[in-house]
Each structure stands twice: as C-alpha cells, then as structure tokens.
Amino acid sequence: MTDKTLVKQRFSRAAQTYDTQAVAQHRIARTLAQTLAVFDPKTEGRILEIGCGTGFLTTELRRLLNPRFLAVNDLCPQMLSRLPDVKADLEIAGDAETVSFPSGLDLIASCSTIQWLENLPRFFDKCADSLSCGGLLAVSTFGERNMQEIARLTSSALRYYSTEELSAMLAERFEVLHMDRNSFTMRFSTPMQVLHHLKDTGVTGTTVRVWTRSSLAEFDSRYRTEFSCEGGVRLTYEPIYFIARKK
C-alpha cells in the first residue's frame, strides 16, 4: 500500500528543485503531448490534468488545445504554487483517488503520476464517470523495468503494471486507441548523484530508509559494479503511454 503522506512529504520537499532536476519527466510530458495530438483531441474543450506537478504537461495542453476550461490537480499544494502562468480555471489540491473531479470533461490527462495510486481500476472508472461520451484519457506511467537499478539494490519499488494489465483495466469503460512503451537511460557521474536526483525529483516516497556510512558505501560499490556505463553509471526510465476513448 502506498503511503500517501510520505509521497506528499517527499514531493513537497522537492517542489523547488523539480523543474531543474525532473529531466526525464519533462521529456515524457512532451512525448505524451505529441502522442495525444495525433488523436484529434477537442480544442477549446474542458480538460482536467491529474498530478500536474510544476506544469510540464500543463503548458503543453494549454498551447496545443487552448481549452476553454482547464482544471489542474496535484497531491501537493507546494507544486500547485509553482505552476507557470497557465491560467488554470480550477486548482484541486489533494489525492486524485478521493477528491471530486469536474464533470462533462473532454480530456483527462496525467503524466508520471498514476503509478502512485492504489486502485487503478477504480480510478479509471472515476475518470470515465467525469468524461463526456467520447472523451479522451491520455496518460503516461511506467513499466516494470523503470528504475530497475534502484529496485535491485534497495528492494524498494512501486508496483508497476504491464501494458497488458493496463489494457485489461481499461477495457470495460474505454476503447484503447494507443498503448506504447519505451525506455531510455540517464547517466550520472556517481551513484550518489543518482540518489540526489531521486531526492530532488521527489520519487523517494516508497519507503523511509536511514542511510549509514556503511550502507551508502555498499550501495555505491554495487551500483558501480552492476550498472556502470561510459562516463559513470546509468538509471533506467521505462515510460508507458496510452490514449483511450470513453465508450
């Protein structure tokens, strides 16, 4: 079970560093927006973004679709406070699984967020209830190989779903128009830089771990041994993108 209090605490602390450190999430947001544009989303419609963070996807949605109504949600008020001037009509702070959504939406979009949710089938039902007939759900999340290096060395990882599992969850209420996954790696000079990257992007909200000098030394040694690459060490991201239409 995800500790939402811990997740909120870690992302709140990272609010000031997220813009500069969340390079992977920014890249994923651009890709999701480009993918969505292919499926002819309604312009000047009603949009809700889940987990807007500091506005990577929000800016793209405003630019591409010029919505007449834009609502944004994030678990952390500190993230909402750092949104750029995107002129959101409604800000919804809180857990996307429990807060109320606007109705009659043409698009619900979410980037790098739903992996933190506890009950995805119920969340997808909630999205369907808030969408107009034919409305779109555009989401990026992560696959099982995401941050595999951290999972291997620390035994702490989120529950990631496969494309087949996600498709099955969506099937009752949505027609899946697009489902794709890819992967890329980021390079860091040292394993300690990897840990700083994770802290500065807030994605350490799965467990509370007290690092000691010996545990840090062991982590550093194993990371260098198992996941070295030219110029340092690697960290894998495996985004999944899907576009689905409400039946």
Side-chain angles (χ1 to χ4, degrees):
M1 180 177 292
T2 303
D3 185 342
K4 297 285 184 71
T5 300
L6 181 61
V7 172
K8 181 177 180 180
Q9 180 186 84
R10 297 290 170 82
F11 276 106
S12 296
R13 288 178 179 174
Q16 293 187 0
T17 54
Y18 193 84
D19 268 354
T20 57
Q21 296 301 315
V23 177
Q25 289 83 352
H26 202 170
R27 170 177 172 173
I28 292 166
R30 290 194 300 268
T31 301
L32 178 62
Q34 292 164 1
T35 304
L36 173 63
V38 175
F39 292 90
D40 194 26
K42 183 178 180 180
T43 57
E44 299 184 356
R46 290 170 54 82
I47 294 177
L48 168 65
E49 183 187 355
I50 303 298
C52 63
T54 58
F56 294 158
L57 182 61
T58 323
T59 302
E60 296 294 325
L61 294 173
R62 177 63 79 184
R63 180 181 63 84
L64 288 170
L65 302 178
N66 188 31
R68 71 174 185 272
F69 173 83
L70 175 62
V72 293
N73 155 263
D74 201 273
L75 180 65
C76 306
Q78 291 88 341
M79 288 288 188
L80 290 171
S81 70
R82 297 188 66 82
L83 280 173
D85 184 20
V86 294
K87 298 180 181 177
D89 299 285
L90 177 64
E91 294 184 358
I92 307 169
D95 183 352
E97 293 188 274
T98 59
V99 297
S100 297
F101 290 173
S103 60
L105 297 168
D106 299 297
L107 169 67
I108 296 177
S110 181
C111 185
S112 304
T113 296
I114 69 166
Q115 67 275 4
W116 298 103
L117 304 184
E118 294 179 7
N119 191 324
L120 279 186
R122 186 168 61 192
F123 172 75
F124 292 151
D125 276 341
K126 182 178 181 179
C127 290
D129 289 341
S130 297
L131 284 165
S132 299
C133 185
L136 295 180
L137 178 63
V139 173
S140 76
T141 183
F142 295 100
E144 301 114 308
R145 294 177 59 245
N146 194 62
M147 295 189 185
Q148 60 186 352
E149 300 86 354
I150 301 299
R152 180 177 175 86
L153 296 185
T154 67
S155 300
S156 62
L158 289 170
R159 168 69 165 93
Y160 296 117
Y161 294 97
S162 68
T163 54
E164 293 78 14
E165 289 172 318
L166 290 168
S167 295
M169 292 178 198
L170 291 161
E172 183 175 348
R173 303 291 302 274
F174 291 92
E175 175 192 4
V176 177
L177 305 177
H178 173 83
M179 182 79 72
D180 185 34
R181 68 195 296 168
N182 58 44
S183 64
F184 60 89
T185 58
M186 293 184 64
R187 297 182 182 184
F188 298 87
S189 298
T190 67
M192 285 302 297
Q193 285 192 352
V194 175
L195 291 181
H196 285 303
H197 165 73
L198 298 179
K199 179 181 178 182
D200 289 344
T201 54
V203 298
T204 56
T206 53
T207 58
V208 176
R209 175 164 185 164
V210 178
W211 290 95
T212 64
R213 181 176 297 180
S214 61
S215 64
L216 277 174
E218 181 184 5
F219 175 85
D220 183 279
S221 175
R222 288 187 61 195
Y223 208 115
R224 291 176 189 271
T225 299
E226 298 184 38
F227 306 116
S228 63
C229 64
E230 184 177 353
V233 294
R234 71 178 189 268
L235 177 66
T236 301
Y237 281 89
E238 187 182 44
I240 292 175
Y241 305 92
F242 66 82
I243 311 293
R245 178 182 290 130
K246 179 180 174 179
K247 293 180 179 178

